[in-house]
Structures are given as structure tokens and as C-alpha cells.
Amino acid sequence: MEPNALKGKTCFSAVKGIVPETNQIVGEFLFEHWGVQKNDLGIICGPCHAEEVALERLSYLTIASQDPEKAKLMGDALSGRFLKTTLSDDIYGTEYAAILKNVIAVCSGISVGLGYGDNFRAVLVSRAIQEIERFVTAVHPIDRDINEPAYLGDLLVTAYSAFSRNREFGAMVGKGYSVKAAQTEMKMVAEGYYAVKCVHEINEKLGVDMPISEATYRMLYERIAPTIEMRLLSDKLA
């Protein structure tokens, strides 16, 4: 596209990832490189798996925009018999949380592959939402309720659901697959694998306490044995 192709236009993003060349979320990238204004950006996030939408099971979306009228317009357009929407003004927190929940889901999947049970994962996810809150507060400190569906709800469905690609990818790694073998067999993209490296690099500057994300990074990129790293993590979660 031409550099000014998005100028003056309203853009809604449903991308749940970081631009690796710049370590920017999509919103930040559009602001800096495409001239999109903050009031012209909207974020579409979960908790919502596409598979359940396709099955017409009741699902919820969160529509975030700093322009409440635009958020409402998109929310009304997407609402239907089996799809409901809620509105938010947190374009940064919702996007970062959507990225981090994929990282946590990979870690959750690794624990499944290693044979850890529901009791452990309950603690893992409980600590994970605290980790997400610390990170999003560091990158964009506003008054937000981390227990809202866009944060906690999206984390829960991604960490537990059988539809979660990131959880499935993690489970394969926990069972002994190499990262490359797991990616090849899945034939789908597990965003958390790429996101955790970007989050690690961002956090080198921020210095936020993120034991789950850092453990996931070490298992995937430093090739620390999941059996060892998960045992060390389990002590930190106590």
C-alpha cells in the first residue's frame, strides 16, 4: 500500500501478535508507520474461538476504541443471535493481553504434555493474570479491571480450550516434540511461540516480574528441558 493509504480512515484490528522487526503491537505500528490516528483505531478481541463461532455457539467479543461511537458502531455490526459484544476504551491493554494469553497458553500446554494436572494449571492461570496485569500496567498505566472478559476471560479460554492452537503446540513440546516438529505436525501457527521472544525483548527494558513468560521463553528458545524448567517454575508460583 501507499504510505498514506490509511490516513483519515478508521481501522479495526483483530491481529493478536507483535511486529517482530520493531517489537510493536499492531496499533503502535499503524500509528508510527501508517499515520493512523489513535481515535481512528479499534481492537477486536475475545474471549472468542473461531471454531465456536462457526458452530454458532454463544460467543462474546470485546471492541476497544478510544472513540466510543466507533466502538459502538462496530459492536452493533458484529452483534447477532449467537455473538454478543462489549465495549472498552483500552486499545493498548486489550491488545497486549491478547498477545500474552497466547504465551501463557503455550506454557499451560507444556504442563499438560508433562502430565501436570488441573490443580497446577489453576495456580498457573491465577498467577498468569497477575503477570499480565503487571506487564500491561508497565506499558500503559490506566485504570482497568483485569478481571474483565478481554483480559481474564480470553486467558481462560486460551489456556484451557481444546480449540487452542497455542495450548496444543505447548502440549506437543511437553510430550517431547522439538519446536520445529511440533510446528510441522500442527500445520497451523501458534502465535505464542513468536510472541514470547518479542515479549522477552520488550521486558529486557521494562524489567517486569514475569516468571511464566520467561520460563516459556527458556523452554522454547534456550532449549532448557521442560521437565527442569517447569519444576523450577512450580516453586516460583507457590
Side-chain angles (χ1 to χ4, degrees), residues 13 33 74 79 86 100 104 116 143 159 163 176 179 182 186 190-191 195-196 202 205 214 216 222 238:
S13 169
H33 299 277
M74 179 58 76
S79 294
T86 58
L100 286 167
I104 304 302
Y116 285 74
D143 183 22
F163 288 127
V179 167
M186 279 184 62
E191 304 97 319
V196 72
I202 293 170
K205 300 176 182 178
E214 288 302 319
T216 307
E222 296 181 355

Side-chain angles (χ1 to χ4, degrees), residues 123-136 146 155 208-209:
V123 174
L124 177 73
V125 173
S126 297
R127 296 303 188 197
I129 194 62
Q130 297 170 350
E131 184 169 309
I132 290 172
E133 183 175 30
R134 289 194 295 270
F135 187 85
V136 297
I146 203 69
L155 171 64
V208 178
D209 181 27

Side-chain angles (χ1 to χ4, degrees), residues 22 24 26-36:
T22 61
Q24 291 175 305
V26 173
E28 292 171 329
F29 189 82
L30 292 176
F31 298 152
E32 182 173 332
H33 299 277
W34 292 93
V36 175

